[in-house]
Each structure stands twice: as structure tokens, then as C-alpha cells.
Amino acid sequence: MKNPSKIGVGVIGTGRIGKLHIEHLSQIIPDAELIAICSLDTETAEIFAEQFNIPKVTSDYRTLLDDSQIDAVIVASSTDTHVEICQAAAEAGKHIFCEKPIALDLEQINETLRIVEKAGVKFQVGFNRRFDANFRRVREAVASGEIGEPHILRITSRDPAPPPIEYVKVSGGIFLDMTIHDFDMARYLIGDEVVEVYAVGCVRVDPKIGEVGDIDTTIITLRFQNGVLATIDNSREAVYGYDQRVEVFGSKGMVAAGNPLTDTVTFSGSEGSRTASPPDFFVERYKAAYLSELQAFIQCIQEGTQPPVTGADGRAPIVMGYAALKSLRENRPVLLSEIL
Amino acid sequence: MKNPSKIGVGVIGTGRIGKLHIEHLSQIIPDAELIAICSLDTETAEIFAEQFNIPKVTSDYRTLLDDSQIDAVIVASSTDTHVEICQAAAEAGKHIFCEKPIALDLEQINETLRIVEKAGVKFQVGFNRRFDANFRRVREAVASGEIGEPHILRITSRDPAPPPIEYVKVSGGIFLDMTIHDFDMARYLIGDEVVEVYAVGCVRVDPKIGEVGDIDTTIITLRFQNGVLATIDNSREAVYGYDQRVEVFGSKGMVAAGNPLTDTVTFSGSEGSRTASPPDFFVERYKAAYLSELQAFIQCIQEGTQPPVTGADGRAPIVMGYAALKSLRENRPVLLSEIL
Amino acid sequence: MKNPSKIGVGVIGTGRIGKLHIEHLSQIIPDAELIAICSLDTETAEIFAEQFNIPKVTSDYRTLLDDSQIDAVIVASSTDTHVEICQAAAEAGKHIFCEKPIALDLEQINETLRIVEKAGVKFQVGFNRRFDANFRRVREAVASGEIGEPHILRITSRDPAPPPIEYVKVSGGIFLDMTIHDFDMARYLIGDEVVEVYAVGCVRVDPKIGEVGDIDTTIITLRFQNGVLATIDNSREAVYGYDQRVEVFGSKGMVAAGNPLTDTVTFSGSEGSRTASPPDFFVERYKAAYLSELQAFIQCIQEGTQPPVTGADGRAPIVMGYAALKSLRENRPVLLSEIL
Amino acid sequence: MKNPSKIGVGVIGTGRIGKLHIEHLSQIIPDAELIAICSLDTETAEIFAEQFNIPKVTSDYRTLLDDSQIDAVIVASSTDTHVEICQAAAEAGKHIFCEKPIALDLEQINETLRIVEKAGVKFQVGFNRRFDANFRRVREAVASGEIGEPHILRITSRDPAPPPIEYVKVSGGIFLDMTIHDFDMARYLIGDEVVEVYAVGCVRVDPKIGEVGDIDTTIITLRFQNGVLATIDNSREAVYGYDQRVEVFGSKGMVAAGNPLTDTVTFSGSEGSRTASPPDFFVERYKAAYLSELQAFIQCIQEGTQPPVTGADGRAPIVMGYAALKSLRENRPVLLSEIL
């Protein structure tokens, strides 16, 4: 029987990120109780239920919405299911943690946010990088005025290897799939809205990516309402590992987060010194951030506060993604106000 | 009922390290099944049993030794109980993982190792730092010949703050309480035996430490059988955090492990640049190492192999500690052969 | 009497850079003989002549052109005099080392380059940063294929403090005064031509800069003929010192040059660790590069080879500067082919 | 004719260090005038005289002592000539800058210091590393109390390659030839006297060094009067370059000087990141320090102040060297008071 002092949670989706949430909810977050998991992959779901002592397993997410022990759902299923599940969950009065992106269709996002708002449930979007201790420290340095008035933001974000071409095809393109994290990071670090986007891009990593209409290398310029200028660069393949650095430059100084490395060892020989690489895998890099975001979600339910990443925060990077795409196609800066 | 394919484990002791082992055994190590825990602090033990779903709780370690489901015990109780428990466990045919130090009395250690050997059980000593990924990488660089023939070893090991004076009194002194880790690290990194020790030391951190007959600052010189020279420096208080670095210098290069830092952020202002500190707490620094050593212990039982840290490895640093103490008192280098 | 085996040199201009060239020619470059210096500031010129044992001082550059002992002139006078002096020097058959920019007027540059070419004299432009050992090492890593095919170039270039407003007024604007170095660096590092420029900019450092029609903060996107994408960011004021970093990312890795620091000292305390800043002054940062470029100039005369920075190299960044200005004004990407 | 406002200087010795002093005196130090140089290698001396415009060349140092234009001599000849020249120079009323070591014989040093004191001339010893900006910054952090009360000093000093065996034979051994710099550095950084020395050492680099009675690898422990403990490690061969680092640990923090590197470039690839090595050659590493020490010498003459490195500073490391040698031979800590 559920502990009444805990938040009852159901997890929908048992992919890589779903599994991580299941682990964290069942083992580490004391204020949550994992009541049920839902997956179309019933075999994996059964294994997880066994491994993590989860009472209930289902392949129909409505079972979770009907369960009165469940206060909140974690939506970690494939992107095309988010809208339907989120809307149903809101109508069932469940609080919602939804993986990014909410959807690729702006009208669907708008509709979902309207339903969520009307239902009055908490709605948090899974921009996990905001919870990374390094980026958080950078945000604090900006918010506290430690670097004075911010002038320039630089974000580098490069994946260790491109996803399978089948995934690229349905991903919505690099801006909605990959840069979306950087768009969110830009808004988070500066604490202001972007008004204009300019993107250049090309295919350098793999011609197949070009053949399906996408690019794999891009530089994006952002202008913020408050005058800050930003540059983001992305690549689908950095052979030295997952490369995600940010730097904010302001009137009183600069704050920058570098890559963590897999060890602290230096070898010095006749050819110079060698140090380790950043991790190759996003789970390794952001494990603690995934835990923190979920803890924050449980906490905002308990304390009745606003989630730290709102529906509006989930929507804005999608708008920026469409602006970037339009900019790339028309080779001109695009105002966000031009989108929808 | 216990899963027959898993190693049944009982944990004795529920202090900081005992708790860590309990967490790891109950949540992360799939090949182990935590059957029971034992503690004189029954309240804490009950809380852990609840939190980690442990079937059995007792305040008498013999209950664990009598339990046929239990294949191995983790001895994480106070140092003065190690010998009795280890000897009884060996006689009960249980494999043993014993926290360091085995004991402060060499004769008792010898007796315990004899009993363990006679019983034919696995016996691993908890020198967790050997399992730290950074130090492990250094050892590999030495063992593989990457730095050629080793010439000089430097170890720095400084605690963030001295322990309570009541602890200092019964700790056996800095050499047996703190340097013991560095003595083990020295043997581990070089893969050879030390033959002579010279120690200088003084009281710089807190006069109270001197009043109870101990020192808080020391530099120790080691000579290895294979000719390598080593220097260790220790302090009971480093205001910038837990400082543990090693460096091995050889004919083809140098390999060094620095401190991990709590974040990767740099702030640059008119006064220069600032970066983070190492962690303050040993659990934060060595969490992954504590997990690895336990995994290795479970694995050596399953595979019937030699534990990676043997009884002899547990004994040698104690001998070095007594040699260092004698060296300090007599202000001369002391051969290890002079001890016992 | 001049040593016939040496290149006879005259220096025109005795400002900060002129003085540096005088020092290097008189003291360090064995294959050059400094015959005469020319300056409208005759007092300073006399002091230098005394200090560095220079036989001849004049306030009329034609005196140098008439001197048969002089094989080459260093043009380090104010920018508005470069064209006249370079053209006269070429017609007098003197080899020319001309400080950047050749001129702010493209037609004048074209005319000058025509005259120089007709005269058949060597003509090197003073883009000193190409001779910095760090940037040179980056260029080598790109040229040698060490990083594979280059994909993305990032350049950060921030001055420690803005120049006097009187200087800003006649500087030609940030793109022709400051970014010009980065435009050259971009071409140098990638070894290819830029085809399109997009610039955003604003006034963040000092409103006075805006009042005279200039900006002090900018981000510029470049597209190269070979497909490489580049981003440059500039600020007129970095409180932590002269900040000039480059990074080239490619299919096999990344090569980056960081800032040199004024010392190698780290202080670690309870607030973390502190390290030094980069130098504040461009002469301190680039002293060795100024020497190298002059040595290369003397050498190309002696060996009859092509100067390492040609007239075309001097012209291209000016074209890029005008493209950036047009881009900023019209808020659109501008093709270099649109300029002239 | 000599400029009467300048200090007239004569340099004795035209080896690597003599040449450096000649360069600095003739080109960079405005308050000095290089009047004459003296060398048994007359050919080299003539070349330098030509190259640096030095009026007088001689092979007899007495010629310099007889020259009334010469106020000060730089003694950079071979060690076995220092005593005779310094004594004669003092008696001739010349100020003296003497390269280290003053001599290898303590009685001769004592006698020389007596004569110098009686003559009332300035006497500075060439411990150039004290003038290195990095080590100077460390000293300031100790002297100012920035690190609180100092507890532990660590010095690493490793040469890139051993000297020729013929040099080793007459060098006085590693302690007097190489560690002498570290002994001086230890006294300089802590600002206190050493009372006891313990040394271990062996032959690891080259058996030939052992055959001539010397060692090439050593660790030395020092105890200071004020209670600070220090450890020095030396090797004659570090394949990654000239390795000279210091670290002072105290009650309020730690200050450390790392090695400068030959460039600021990082290459990141699938094998991790690579950075440059420290310089291989002591002149490259300490050029600026050699200049500073000479400027300080000229300044102390002009201002009538005490030289920054006194005769006593020149003597103390020799005493420490003999104590280390005695310690090594007798395998016990040796008090400095045991020497002489």
C-alpha cells in the first residue's frame, strides 16, 4: 500500500531515459513512490518491475491515469505520443513531467499548454541540462551580477556520433532535435527572451544526413531582447567525446563551464602531456542532472510551487528551432515573431 | 527466499562506510543479495532495513555467521572488533571483506591471517582507493611500462579537517590512521615492497593533537626493494578540501592523478581566474571506488579467484606504520625488517 | 659603413609598433642593418637614434628612399600615410613591410598593390598574429590534416579596454580596426577564402562609442568557399585582460590555442583556486610574433621568396570588414562579391 | 667615453651564462655600461665584442680590476676561479656579482666572504631562480600571510638530460651542482633557516654516473628552524623537459608554481587531449630571471642597498649540500651544525 506522505508516480516509457527515471524514483528520491510503469515493450517493463520492485506494469497509459495512488506521471515515451498522453493526464488531474520536446507541432503544443493550464496541474519539461551543477553555477554567476551586465554568450554543443539515419529522418531536424537543448540553455543562462535567429549550416559529417534533408554542422546567432548576443555551434560528431561548453562574457568578467573529463590523470612524455576525454555518453555526463530535475519536480508538487521548467520554457525552443530552420532556408535573420 | 545464483551477504556495522556498503549491495550489485545487517545501533539498523528492504536485522554478529544463506560478511564495525569477528567468520566458513585496518596489533593480524588461510575463505581488505579510477589509471601506466622504469613516487594526502580529538586518541596515530592509505597506495602503484622508512613530523594544525601524543603534519620517505624512492606528505587540515594526488616519475615519462573538482566552472575577472575546490568529504570523493571494491569482492567469490587486496596487503601498511612511528621517535631511517 | 652582406633597413614611424621594430632590427636580427629612421616626432626619433645607435634620423621619408644603403622600408606611420609612402617606396625600388591596414580605401589599396607588383619589390603586411607560436601551431595542425577536414572555426578576440574616443572616430570602425586581425586569422587558419559574412553588433561597453557611430560588441559569422563555418566574437573591453583564443574543429579532432597567462601560479584556499590573467598589453602578448614577422620579411628578401603575408592578404580582411559593415547596417548576410 | 651616470661593468667568462649577462648588460639594462669582457676563449670574446659593441676585450681579469671605469664585475668564469677573482675584485674595490656556487670549499667561501665584507663592496650570488616571476609570486604569497602559517614545502626539480660525464666528475656531486638551487629556493620561499637534512639517493638514469661516485636520483627531507617540513626530489633526466615546480602548503591555503609550457595549444582527439611540454633548456626557462637578477644587482649599487642574494645566501646551500652528502653516506639525518 502506498505511503500517503509520498508522491505516487507512474512512468510511461522504458527507453534509456525512462529507465533512468525509474531507477531514480525507485531508489534515490525518498519523497516519491513509484507505483507503476507503462511500456509497449512489455518484456523490458517486466524486467524493470522485477529489478526495481515496482508493483504494477501495464502497456496502456490510461491504466496509470485511472490509478488514484498516482499523483504524477513521467512522460518518457516517443515524442509523437507526448501530446495525447499529456492532454489525457492533465484531464485526469495528474501532474506531468514531460520529456523534451513536448511536440514538433506548435499548434499541438499550444493546445496542450492550454489544457494543462485549465486543469491546474504541474507541468515540467525535461530540459535536464539546466540541472547540471556546472551550468547551474554559470547561471548563478550571471543572475547574481558576478559578471556584471552580460554581453556575449557562447555555446558549443557537439555529439560524439550522429544518430542512426532512421532516427535523423523523424527527428525534426538538427535544430529541433539537438540545438533545442542549446536554445533552452541560452534562455536559461541569460534569463531573457531571444528575438532574432540567424543560422548557417552544412553537411560535413555524413552525406546521408544531407540526403534526408538535414544538416549536421551549424552556427547560429541569437539576439536577445536585452541586447545580449549569442553564438551556438553544433556538430553531430566530435571524435573526442561529448563536447558541451558554455561561456558568458559580461562587463565585470567571464564565467565558463568546461567539459568534465573521465579521469584526472595526466601523462607527460617526450611528446607533451596527455589528459582524458569528456564522457562519450549523455547518461554518464548528465546522470546527476536527470536526478535533480526529477527531485525538483517532486518538490514543486509537494510545496505547491511553480515547476522550474515550465510549459512556456518547453515551447520557446521549438519556436526558435522553426526560426532557425526558416533562417537556414531563406539565408536571412528571422524574427521569432515571424513564427506562427 | 534467497536467489541461489547470488552471493548472500551480511553487513556488520552501520556507520558511514557500513551504510555505503549496504546501499551498494542492496541497490547496485546484481550478483549480491543482502540477507542481513548487524549493528549495536539497532535503531539505525532498523531504519536501513526498512529503507533498503533487508530481511533480517540483528545486534549479534554470530546470528549472521549461523545463517546458511550468508556466504560472505562485510566487516565494517569499529576497528577493535575486527579480529574477533574475522576469526569467527573464517571459522564459520564465511568469506570476509574487512575494513582497514585489520587491527592495530601485528600479532593479532598475524593470527587472524593464519586462521583465514587455514579456513580457505576469501579475505579482502578495504583499501578502497586502489579502486579509484584515477589511481587505477596511474597504476596501469606504471605496470604497462608506459612511463618506463619508475624512479620517484610522490604522494600528497591531506584531510579537509582533523577528526575529533576523542577519535585521535584511539586512532593509533596519524601513521596507522591516515598514512596507512598512502602506504597501501605506494605499494599498489609501484607493485613492490618497501624496505625502509624515514619520517619527520610535527604539530602544526592543532596543539591538542600534540597533547594526546600524536602529530598532524608529516613527511615520509620510502625506499623500495626495486630502488624506487618515494615521498609522502600528510596534513590533518587542508582548508581547500580533500587533497589526494599521486605522481610517478620514470625513465620514459611521468603520470600523475590530480584532484577531481566539484565543478568545471571558471570565473575570470580583474583579479585573475577562479576554479572550484576538490570535494570536502571522502564519501563524495571515493563513492565509485567503494562500489568497485565490493563488486571485485563479490566477483572473486563467484570466480574463485584471489581477492585484489589480500591479507598480506592489509598487513604490510601496518608494519610500515610502526616503522614510521619508530623512525619519528628515534629520528633515523628504520628498516621494515626491524618491526617484529 | 654598411655591412654589404646585410639588408639595409629604414623605419618610418616611431610609435609603439615602430619602436618595437627599431629595437628588433637594431639588436636582434643579425641579417638586418638599421640605417635610418624617419618620424615627424623628431624628438622621439633622436632619442631612439641615440639609444639604438642608428646612424641617420630624418623627418622626411623621401630621404630614406633616396638612400642607396637602404634596401627595405618598414612603414609604421599613421594609416593615412601608408598609401603615399608605399607607392613612393615601390617606385624607388625598396622592399616594403607595411603595417596593417594598408589603407581604409579599397581603391587606394588596389592601386598600391598594382604599383608594388609592377615594381617587383617584396611587399609584406603586418599581420603579426600569424607569427604567434600558438596560432602557428594551430595552423600546422589544420594544414597537416591532424584534425582531419575542418568543419568549424571559433575566434574570440577581446581587448582589455577601449581606445580613446578620438581614436575610435578615425579608426574606420570596429570591423576595420579590430576584427580585421580576426578576419586575417580566419583566412590564415583555414587556408581558404571567405565568401559570405553576417554580423550582429551593439553598444554595451561605452555609449560614447555609439555616439560616434561605432559598436563595441559583435558576433560575426563567416562561410568559407570550402564549406567551413566560422564565428568570431569581439568586445572592446574584457576586464580580465587581452583575450584572444582560437579553436578549429574537424573530422578527426579539435585544436585550440588558449591565452597565455602572466604567471604559472595557483593559489588554493577555502574559496577555490585562483590563477593569473592573460597579459593586458598587446606588445607583451605578441612581442615574439612582431620579431618573427620581421625576421621572415628580411629572410624573404635575402632568399628571393614570396613574403608570408602578401598584398592580397592585406586586402582581403578590408573587403571582409566592409562586408561586415554592410551586413550590420542591412541586417542580412553579405557576399564578399558584393563589395566593389 | 663612459657615461658617468651609469654603472661601469666588466664581465668575466663567456660561456652560456656569461653570454647572457653580456647581452643583457649591452642591450637591455639602461643603467649599466658594459666596459669590458674577459675570457680565456679569446676568439669567442672577440666575436661578442664585435656583436655587442664592447670597447675592451682581455684574457686577464686583472685588466678589468685595474680599469677605473669599471665599478662592478660579473664573475661567470668556471667555479674553480671564483675565489681568486672575487677576492682580488673585492680588494680592488669592485662590486661583485658571482655565479653560483661561490666555491665548493667551505673554508674558501668563508675567507672570500670575510674579504668582501672588509672591502665593503656589494656581493651578490647568482641564484637566478629567485628572480623568476612565478617563484617570486609564491614567495610573496608566503611572506604576506596569504597561505597562513606555512607547514609543508614541496620542490620538484628535474633536468631534461644529464650533463656530460666529464662535467659530473668535477661538479661536486648532485647536491652541490643541482640541488643547490633547490636548497636556495627552499630558504627563499620559507624565509627561514634549515636545521636538519636527510637524503636518500640512487643511480637510476645512467650507471656511468654511479661509476664516478655520484647519484642521479634523490629525495631530500628538510626541517626548518620554524618547524616547516620540506621535501625535494631531483632527477638528472626528465624526458618531458625541464621540470621545476614548487608548492607551499599552509594553514590558510596552498600556493604552487607549475611549469611554463612552450605553447598554449591543446589538441583533442579520440585518444584524449594533448598539450605542450615545458621548455628543454634552462636559458629559455629563466631568461627573464637572469635579466632581473642583474637589474637588481645594478640597482643595489646605485641605491646603496643590500643585494637581494647575499654572500650568506650563497654559503648556506653549500652547507646544506655537504649535510645532504653526509646524510646519504651515513644514512641518517644530519644537522647543519655538524658541518664544519
Side-chain angles (χ1 to χ4, degrees), chain A:
Chain A
M1 214 175 59
K2 180 182 162 287
N3 181 330
S5 73
K6 295 191 176 186
I7 305 295
V9 181
V11 173
I12 302 162
T14 53
R16 290 186 304 189
I17 295 179
K19 185 188 177 188
L20 206 57
H21 291 320
I22 289 168
E23 265 186 65
H24 290 155
L25 287 164
S26 64
Q27 294 182 336
I28 307 185
I29 304 178
D31 292 335
E33 185 166 337
L34 182 49
I35 306 291
I37 61 175
C38 163
S39 179
L40 297 179
D41 176 356
T42 48
E43 197 176 342
T44 298
E46 290 294 348
I47 291 169
F48 289 175
E50 164 85 14
Q51 183 178 350
F52 300 106
N53 284 312
I54 306 162
K56 202 189 281 187
V57 180
T58 173
S59 62
D60 182 353
Y61 72 86
R62 285 176 206 86
T63 315
L64 272 59
L65 304 187
D66 291 341
D67 188 330
S68 65
Q69 289 194 321
I70 291 181
D71 304 301
V73 291
I74 312 299
V75 183
S77 48
S78 65
T79 297
D80 57 348
T81 67
H82 288 184
V83 160
E84 179 189 325
I85 297 175
C86 287
Q87 293 183 359
E91 282 160 355
K94 306 299 188 196
H95 302 296
I96 301 161
F97 178 97
C98 180
E99 275 306 322
K100 54 108 316 214
I102 305 174
L104 296 180
D105 183 277
L106 265 180
E107 195 38 64
Q108 289 187 336
I109 295 175
N110 294 341
E111 176 67 9
T112 303
L113 297 187
R114 271 193 296 272
I115 291 171
V116 162
E117 189 176 18
K118 200 174 145 204
V121 297
K122 306 290 177 198
F123 185 79
Q124 182 174 329
V125 178
F127 280 122
N128 59 299
R129 293 185 197 169
R130 289 188 179 213
F131 296 85
D132 176 80
N134 304 310
F135 298 140
R136 186 143 284 228
R137 171 76 190 81
V138 172
R139 170 58 190 152
E140 282 159 14
V142 175
S144 69
E146 199 176 347
I147 62 153
E149 189 194 8
H151 293 178
I152 294 171
L153 165 66
R154 292 195 345 172
I155 296 178
T156 284
S157 177
R158 300 167 190 159
D159 280 351
I165 203 73
E166 290 311 309
Y167 176 85
V168 172
K169 278 185 197 169
V170 301
S171 69
I174 194 169
F175 298 127
L176 291 170
D177 181 55
M178 187 173 162
T179 326
I180 186 174
H181 277 293
D182 307 307
F183 289 145
D184 178 62
M185 186 53 63
R187 291 180 69 249
Y188 169 65
L189 291 178
I190 300 303
D192 197 60
E193 294 298 336
V194 167
V195 293
E196 197 177 62
V197 174
Y198 174 72
V200 292
C202 54
V203 178
R204 301 289 277 183
V205 172
D206 185 351
K208 287 205 197 69
I209 292 174
E211 285 159 20
V212 302
D214 202 355
I215 56 172
D216 53 32
T217 303
T218 178
I219 288 177
I220 300 137
T221 306
L222 308 178
R223 283 202 304 110
F224 283 82
Q225 214 155 25
N226 66 5
V228 170
L229 305 177
T231 176
I232 297 169
D233 73 88
N234 287 164
S235 170
R236 283 289 194 184
E237 184 171 58
V239 297
Y240 51 86
Y242 209 30
D243 183 5
Q244 301 202 328
R245 291 168 284 154
V246 308
E247 172 185 313
V248 191
F249 169 79
S251 58
K252 291 186 186 162
M254 171 172 72
V255 61
N259 288 313
L261 303 182
T262 53
D263 66 51
T264 67
V265 174
T266 302
F267 172 81
S268 300
S270 51
E271 308 291 302
S273 288
R274 268 189 292 114
T275 52
S277 292
D280 246 10
F281 186 38
F282 75 94
V283 171
E284 193 185 342
R285 169 76 180 252
Y286 288 117
K287 204 168 191 328
Y290 278 107
L291 173 58
S292 287
E293 68 172 0
L294 222 52
Q295 287 172 318
F297 175 61
I298 298 299
Q299 192 183 357
C300 83
I301 297 172
Q302 287 189 309
E303 302 183 355
T305 52
Q306 165 102 333
V309 191
T310 66
D313 291 328
R315 182 185 183 276
I318 305 286
V319 177
M320 292 167 76
Y322 282 111
L325 196 60
K326 194 178 180 68
S327 171
L328 182 75
R329 285 177 181 155
E330 303 180 7
N331 194 25
R332 64 171 181 90
V334 169
L335 291 166
L336 261 60
S337 58
E338 297 181 48
I339 305 303
L340 277 208

Side-chain angles (χ1 to χ4, degrees), chain B residues 63-187:
Chain B
T63 315
L64 272 60
L65 304 187
D66 291 342
D67 189 329
S68 65
Q69 289 194 321
I70 290 181
D71 304 302
V73 291
I74 312 298
V75 184
S77 47
S78 64
T79 298
D80 57 349
T81 67
H82 288 182
V83 161
E84 178 188 328
I85 298 175
C86 286
Q87 293 183 0
E91 281 160 356
K94 307 299 187 195
H95 302 296
I96 301 163
F97 178 97
C98 180
E99 275 306 323
K100 52 109 317 217
I102 305 174
L104 295 180
D105 183 277
L106 265 180
E107 194 38 62
Q108 288 188 335
I109 295 175
N110 294 342
E111 175 68 8
T112 304
L113 297 187
R114 270 193 296 270
I115 291 172
V116 162
E117 190 176 17
K118 200 174 147 203
V121 297
K122 306 289 178 198
F123 185 78
Q124 182 173 331
V125 178
F127 281 121
N128 59 298
R129 293 187 197 166
R130 289 188 179 213
F131 296 85
D132 176 81
N134 304 310
F135 298 139
R136 189 145 280 230
R137 171 77 190 78
V138 172
R139 170 60 190 151
E140 282 159 14
V142 175
S144 69
E146 200 176 346
I147 61 154
E149 188 195 9
H151 293 179
I152 293 172
L153 164 66
R154 291 196 343 172
I155 296 179
T156 284
S157 177
R158 300 167 190 158
D159 279 352
I165 201 75
E166 290 310 311
Y167 176 85
V168 172
K169 279 185 196 169
V170 300
S171 67
I174 194 168
F175 298 127
L176 290 172
D177 182 55
M178 188 172 162
T179 324
I180 186 176
H181 277 294
D182 307 307
F183 289 144
D184 179 60
M185 185 54 63
R187 291 180 70 248

